[in-house]
């Protein structure tokens, strides 16, 4: 199978390259496509190409808008431009992008916009024929242009939009995120929350039509979509994990952990699942479950003994920032953010997923805003 590879440092193909790839891909289904005109004028605008597609002896001409990316933002622009061209001519609207999943093809079919990609997937309609082909793997493999704004520490800036819908600038977004990384001692993770990362995160969220940036102002457009993407992309912190016994109740254990953490400068936070009791969606757990970024110091502070039978404590070491973002302090306990708690519940057991639905509704309706 042929895969497109950039040879000049470009991440996206040119229109000519995409046309060539699409022509090669659909030829396997006895379709033929001829480019009749490129950059064709259309009522003061230009359409990328006018093409003629033939299938089983039947022909149709299309006004084809080509985009080098398959993001929701690129698709939205392509649909608008192709639809305009189709409405102002006797041509059918057609969009061409690197890759279309079956779900995206179905959405386009509902909008009656024909589409094809560089991998051989297509929905083509006309008065002469109706053609559908999906399930072809993405052969358009290029390095990721953006970081994943929904996973790991990159998700911190995305989570900020669940707490505040608008920010006046990237600098204000970074300042807000940095403030919510503050420890009780006043220390912050300034050096790890970079303005450049905030910029790339917002750019990626723009491409997904989740955030809008206008004259520097940042505004959340789709809270539900942001929640969904955070859930689908969530990965738990990876690090050393120990389970065992401690000779203290949870309040004394937290006192000892907090004292040692402030003395030695490490971070502690209840896991999201354990914090579900704080948010009132699960009954209290008998097993204390805590994230720490210095496991050895925490083990010493708790006089910890590893044991599987009758264990009452679980410690997970992680130096990532996201488990320590937007912590909630009450009664001497450092609880997880409601967002972190919901993400862990939503990716947990069926009982935990059910419990997380109440927390999701609170977040969805802005119940935990700042």
């Amino acid at each position: 199978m042929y895969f497109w590879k950039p040879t000049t440092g470009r991440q996206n193909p040119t229109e000519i390259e995409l046309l060539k790839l699409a022509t090669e891909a659909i030829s396997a289904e006895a379709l033929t496509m001829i480019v009749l005109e490129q950059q064709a004028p259309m009522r003061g605008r230009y359409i990328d190409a006018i093409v003629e597609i033939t299938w089983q002896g039947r022909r149709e001409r299309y006004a084809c808008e080509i985009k080098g990316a398959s993001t929701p933002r690129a698709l939205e622009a392509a649909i608008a431009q192709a639809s305009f061209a189709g409405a102002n001519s006797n041509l059918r609207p057609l969009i061409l992008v690197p890759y279309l999943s079956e779900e995206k093809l179905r959405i386009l079919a509902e909008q009656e916009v024909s589409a094809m990609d560089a991998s051989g997937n297509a929905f083509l309609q006309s008065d002469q024929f109706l053609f559908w082909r999906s399930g072809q793997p993405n052969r358009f493999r290029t390095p990721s242009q953006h970081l994943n704004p929904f996973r790991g520490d990159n998700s911190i800036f995305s989570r900020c939009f669940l707490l505040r819908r608008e920010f006046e600038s990237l600098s204000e977004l970074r300042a807000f995120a940095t403030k919510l990384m503050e420890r009780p001692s006043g220390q912050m993770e300034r050096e790890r929350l970079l303005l450049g990362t905030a910029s790339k995160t917002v750019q990626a969220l723009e491409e997904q039509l989740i955030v809008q940036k206008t004259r520097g102002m940042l505004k959340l457009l789709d809270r539900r979509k942001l929640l969904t993407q955070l859930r689908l992309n969530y990965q738990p912190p990876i690090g050393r994990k120990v389970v065992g016994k401690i000779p203290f109740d949870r309040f004394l254990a937290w006192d000892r952990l907090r004292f040692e953490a402030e003395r030695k400068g490490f971070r502690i936070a209840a896991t999201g699942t354990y914090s579900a009791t704080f948010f009132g969606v699960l009954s209290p757990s008998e097993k204390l479950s805590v994230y720490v970024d210095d496991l050895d110091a925490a083990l010493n502070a708790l006089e910890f003994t590893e044991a599987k039978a009758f264990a009452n404590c679980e410690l997970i070491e992680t130096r990532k920032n996201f488990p320590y973002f937007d912590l909630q302090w009450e009664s001497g306990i450092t609880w997880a953010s409601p967002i972190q708690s919901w993400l862990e519940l939503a990716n947990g057991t069926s009982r935990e997923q059910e419990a997380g639905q109440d927390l999701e509704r609170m977040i969805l309706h802005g119940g935990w805003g700042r």
Side-chain angles (χ1 to χ4, degrees):
M1 182 181 288
Y2 171 77
F3 290 92
W4 181 82
K5 297 180 181 179
T7 56
T8 60
R10 288 180 292 101
Q11 300 261 336
N12 296 327
T14 65
E15 294 168 8
I16 294 175
E17 287 169 335
L18 262 180
L19 280 168
K20 180 176 181 293
L21 285 167
T23 301
E24 292 175 354
I26 65 173
S27 64
E29 288 294 318
L31 282 132
T32 59
M33 182 167 69
I34 301 171
V35 179
L36 301 176
E37 187 176 355
Q38 287 187 266
Q39 290 298 304
M42 199 76 63
R43 283 186 173 268
R45 303 185 190 180
Y46 286 88
I47 193 72
D48 290 327
I50 296 176
V51 301
E52 183 178 85
I53 296 177
T54 304
W55 184 54
Q56 295 183 346
R58 299 179 177 89
R59 292 189 179 90
E60 186 65 68
R61 292 187 177 184
Y62 297 86
C64 182
E65 183 64 27
I66 306 171
K67 295 295 181 186
S70 305
T71 63
R73 188 181 187 185
L75 286 175
E76 184 180 69
I79 291 169
Q81 291 160 354
S83 297
F84 173 85
N88 289 279
S89 67
N90 60 350
L91 304 172
R92 292 271 184 173
L94 170 68
I95 68 171
L96 171 58
V97 294
Y99 176 70
L100 289 166
S101 65
E102 183 170 349
E103 179 184 4
K104 287 183 178 178
L105 275 178
R106 292 192 184 282
I107 293 171
L108 290 163
E110 290 174 2
Q111 298 181 43
E112 297 186 349
V113 176
S114 295
M116 62 172 50
D117 66 18
S119 303
N121 300 296
F123 162 69
L124 299 168
Q125 66 172 358
S126 74
D127 294 332
Q128 305 297 318
F129 60 82
L130 184 66
F131 178 85
W132 174 277
R133 189 188 191 210
S134 64
Q136 301 303 304
N138 185 3
R139 69 173 187 170
F140 185 82
R141 295 178 182 173
T142 62
S144 177
Q145 189 171 0
H146 301 299
L147 51 74
N148 186 332
F150 310 111
R151 182 170 295 166
D153 285 353
N154 294 335
S155 72
I156 288 175
F157 290 113
S158 298
R159 297 183 189 198
C160 287
F161 285 98
L162 295 175
L163 302 172
R164 262 182 63 180
R165 292 186 65 88
E166 295 184 0
F167 296 91
E168 292 185 359
S169 65
L170 286 170
S171 296
E172 186 178 58
L173 171 62
R174 177 179 178 268
F176 181 80
T178 300
K179 180 65 177 175
L180 294 186
M181 288 301 305
E182 185 176 0
R183 307 182 201 178
S185 61
Q187 294 174 295
M188 297 185 185
E189 298 298 320
R190 286 191 178 91
E191 72 283 357
R192 298 185 187 180
L193 299 182
L194 304 176
L195 191 62
T197 304
S199 177
K200 292 177 182 178
T201 298
V202 169
Q203 183 181 0
L205 292 174
E206 280 189 283
E207 292 292 341
Q208 295 290 327
L209 300 180
I210 292 173
V211 166
Q212 181 182 58
K213 184 178 181 182
T214 307
R215 297 190 183 92
M217 174 73 76
L218 314 175
K219 182 179 180 181
L220 176 66
L221 297 178
D222 196 329
R223 182 183 292 267
R224 185 178 294 277
K225 186 174 182 180
L226 176 54
L227 277 173
T228 299
Q229 289 301 319
L230 286 170
R231 175 178 57 81
L232 292 175
N233 286 273
Y234 180 73
Q235 291 182 341
I238 299 175
R240 289 191 296 165
K241 177 180 176 180
V242 293
V243 178
K245 298 179 182 179
I246 56 174
F248 314 109
D249 64 30
R250 64 170 183 162
F251 294 105
L252 183 54
W254 276 110
D255 286 342
R256 293 177 69 93
L257 269 177
R258 188 173 62 254
F259 175 80
E260 196 67 7
E262 291 176 0
R263 188 172 74 88
K264 293 191 174 180
F266 66 90
R267 296 179 291 183
I268 56 174
T271 63
T273 303
Y274 185 81
S275 297
T277 182
F278 173 66
F279 299 112
V281 295
L282 274 182
S283 301
S285 172
E286 295 181 359
K287 183 190 293 184
L288 180 65
S289 182
V290 186
Y291 294 124
V292 300
D293 62 6
D294 187 336
L295 182 60
D296 294 330
L299 291 173
N300 290 332
L302 293 175
E303 299 179 17
F304 190 96
T305 303
E306 284 197 58
K308 293 184 178 180
F310 305 107
N312 63 354
C313 184
E314 172 186 75
L315 297 175
I316 304 166
E317 185 177 53
T318 178
R319 293 181 172 83
K320 292 290 187 180
N321 281 323
F322 71 90
Y324 308 105
F325 172 72
D326 186 32
L327 297 178
Q328 315 285 308
W329 290 281
E330 185 172 292
S331 303
I333 298 177
T334 308
W335 302 102
S337 162
I339 300 170
Q340 179 65 28
S341 185
W342 169 72
L343 284 169
E344 293 186 28
L345 293 173
N347 287 278
T349 64
S350 57
R351 176 172 172 266
E352 289 168 346
Q353 290 176 27
E354 184 178 353
Q357 291 176 2
D358 289 335
L359 198 50
E360 179 180 352
R361 282 190 284 270
M362 296 178 197
I363 298 171
L364 187 61
H365 296 294
W368 292 99
R370 293 297 185 98

